């Protein structure tokens, strides 16, 4: 049925373009979206035409939100609170760290630590450290009773417009021919994202900003890795130090070509987080088949990445593992807290805890994560209105799944790994076949019948395979032809 529906949609699109006298090309589709008002064409100060994939009403709401957020951040820096922000726990004296890809534009998570003793929490001595997992607060858009005012007047219309835009989009996509398709206009994502300090190996830029977060605190048994206790709080945090995955890994390994007191403190924080989070991940794999299966998939992709000489686009450094464990723990602990509060968990259909599904950890990329954050705040912090009912959660889950499926059906742009590199790989494969008779060892990529030739890095389509092989499975193949 899904395949038939997709085929019917393609026919409808072609007929619509013909009726509008537009070419059946990406440019024609773009012009159609502009003409019907779903996208907006505007001119910048330099007179250059710009296409925004949003209607004017959304762009107007985005402009309002950015101005409001800028004023609010100024208030927070001065130590003043606007209505709705009272009651937040002040964690601005505690440093924290962001670890992301170097190309990341909008950062929505950070990691911090603090000793257990000053917190006053009644946790066993098996856990010396409290691990703090911060996620950007997006409750402005998702909590209908959150009190966001503009000069004392409610701004419900603008916030509802932005929430509906995120609901319609469902998720972000970064691999499309016309460029990224974001969950919300980038200016809004920038306002919602964490204000960070950056390091470029020569200087550290300090931002001095304050961020509104939803923070999960956890205690992990430092011997067994078992989760001992956790809770959720609305918080204020200072600007995290933003490190790329490679820089954070180099810092841990002692190979970062820079010495600085700030980086020394960052290394200490990351090291404590790594020890606790990785121990928890190890413990989970002894208890959960889903966690074991996930580790096998990631290990397969990691081996595949090495065989493809980095051309698979998949990396798994020490810092990657830390962040993965942190976000997995955020979802695991939040699921448990909501279960005990008897509050249903909003999630994409098919992404349950049996598949180690994450919850509320990426609200700048996925609409359903914003809804899950709103549910957590309502059920655990008594903020933003009453918790959603099971019926409401099912509606959000179904609609978010439909929106994500629609965006996922858009064809991605092909990854260009470089023509010179591709030519060298093919030449190496040709030489290998000349010197070796018979089948050659290969490893499946997990994408249909695609395999990578071991020791060479060339990818190939393999015949005679039924279904899909899991990533990392080794087989023998006979090379019949090479496309040069």
């Amino acid at each position: 049925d899904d395949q038939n529906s997709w085929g019917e949609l393609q026919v409808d699109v072609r007929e619509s373009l013909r009726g509008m006298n537009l070419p059946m090309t990406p440019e024609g589709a773009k012009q159609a979206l502009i003409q019907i008002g779903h996208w907006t064409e505007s001119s910048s100060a330099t007179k250059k035409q710009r296409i925004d994939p949003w209607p004017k009403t959304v762009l107007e709401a985005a402009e309002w939100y950015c101005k409001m957020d800028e004023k609010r951040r100024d208030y927070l820096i001065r130590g003043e609170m606007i209505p709705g922000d009272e009651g937040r726990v002040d964690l601005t004296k505690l440093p924290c760290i962001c670890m992301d890809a170097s190309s990341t534009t909008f950062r929505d998570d950070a990691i911090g630590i603090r000793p257990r003793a000053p917190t006053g929490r009644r946790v066993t001595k098996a856990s010396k450290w409290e691990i703090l997992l911060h996620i950007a607060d997006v409750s402005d858009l998702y909590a209908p009773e959150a009190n966001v005012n503009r000069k004392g007047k409610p701004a419900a219309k603008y916030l509802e417009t932005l929430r509906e835009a995120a609901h319609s989009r469902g998720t972000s996509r970064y691999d499309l021919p016309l460029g990224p398709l974001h969950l919300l206009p980038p200016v809004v994502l920038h306002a919602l994202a964490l204000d960070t300090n950056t390091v470029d190996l020569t200087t550290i830029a300090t931002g001095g900003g304050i961020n509104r977060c939803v923070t999960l605190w956890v205690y992990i048994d430092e011997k067994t890795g078992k989760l001992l206790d956790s809770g959720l709080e609305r918080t204020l945090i200072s600007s995290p130090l933003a490190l790329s995955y490679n820089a954070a890994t180099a810092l841990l390994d002692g190979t970062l070509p820079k010495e600085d007191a700030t980086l020394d403190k960052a290394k200490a924080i990351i090291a404590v987080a790594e020890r606790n989070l990785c121990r928890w991940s190890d413990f989970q794999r002894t208890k959960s088949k889903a966690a074991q299966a996930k580790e096998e998939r990631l290990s397969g992709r990691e081996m595949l990445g090495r065989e493809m000489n980095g051309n698979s686009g998949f990396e798994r450094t020490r810092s990657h593992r830390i962040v993965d464990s942190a976000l997995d723990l955020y979802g695991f602990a939040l699921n448990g807290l909501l279960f005990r509060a008897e509050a249903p968990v909003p999630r994409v259909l098919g992404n349950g805890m049996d598949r180690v599904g994450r919850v509320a950890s990426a609200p700048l990329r996925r609409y359903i994560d914003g809804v899950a954050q709103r549910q957590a705040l309502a059920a655990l912090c008594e903020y933003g209105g009453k918790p959603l009912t099971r019926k409401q959660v099912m509606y959000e889950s179904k609609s978010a799944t439909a929106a994500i499926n629609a965006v996922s059906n858009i064809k991605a742009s092909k990854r260009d790994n470089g023509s010179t590199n591709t030519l060298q790989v093919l030449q190496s494969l040709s030489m290998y076949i000349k010197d070796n008779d018979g089948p050659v060892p290969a490893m499946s990529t997990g994408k249909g019948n695609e395999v990578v030739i071991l020791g060479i890095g060339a990818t190939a389509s393999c015949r005679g395979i039924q279904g899909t092989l899991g990533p990392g499975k080794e087989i023998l193949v006979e090379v019949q032809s090479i496309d040069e």
Side-chain angles (χ1 to χ4, degrees), residues 414-433:
K414 294 183 178 179
R415 183 187 297 272
D416 183 9
N417 292 325
S419 57
T420 302
N421 184 50
T422 302
L423 181 59
Q424 291 174 347
V425 168
L426 292 175
Q427 289 173 342
S428 297
L429 178 59
S430 297
M431 293 295 295
Y432 181 88
I433 293 173

Side-chain angles (χ1 to χ4, degrees), residues 270-285:
I270 299 172
V272 171
E274 179 184 40
R275 185 171 67 247
N276 282 268
L277 292 169
C278 290
R279 198 150 291 169
W280 173 81
S281 291
D282 292 341
F283 176 80
Q284 281 300 102
R285 285 193 288 274

Side-chain angles (χ1 to χ4, degrees), residues 254-318:
T255 59
L256 192 67
K258 178 176 174 60
E259 293 184 3
D260 181 273
T262 300
L263 289 176
D264 290 342
K265 185 179 293 185
K267 180 178 181 179
I269 293 171
I270 299 172
V272 171
E274 179 184 40
R275 185 171 67 247
N276 282 268
L277 292 169
C278 290
R279 198 150 291 169
W280 173 81
S281 291
D282 292 341
F283 176 80
Q284 281 300 102
R285 285 193 288 274
T286 67
K287 301 293 183 180
S288 168
K289 290 183 178 180
Q292 294 170 16
K294 179 180 178 180
E295 177 61 25
E296 290 174 2
R297 290 196 302 271
L298 292 176
S299 296
R301 293 185 64 187
E302 187 177 8
M303 287 190 296
L304 185 64
R306 288 196 295 266
E307 289 296 333
M308 297 181 68
N309 301 315
N311 288 335
S312 69
F314 182 79
E315 288 185 287
R316 205 179 181 210
T317 63
R318 288 177 69 180

Side-chain angles (χ1 to χ4, degrees), residues 14 327 405:
R14 289 194 293 268
L327 298 181
N405 288 342

Side-chain angles (χ1 to χ4, degrees), residues 400-417:
T401 302
I404 289 173
N405 288 342
V407 173
S408 298
N409 281 330
I410 304 173
K411 285 187 176 181
S413 59
K414 294 183 178 179
R415 183 187 297 272
D416 183 9
N417 292 325

Side-chain angles (χ1 to χ4, degrees), residues 16-17 19-23 27-41 51:
S16 297
L17 291 175
M20 299 172 73
N21 293 319
L22 292 171
E27 180 63 29
K30 181 171 69 175
Q31 290 301 319
L33 289 167
I34 293 171
Q35 290 184 26
I36 63 178
H38 283 295
W39 287 14
T40 304
E41 186 173 27
I51 306 299

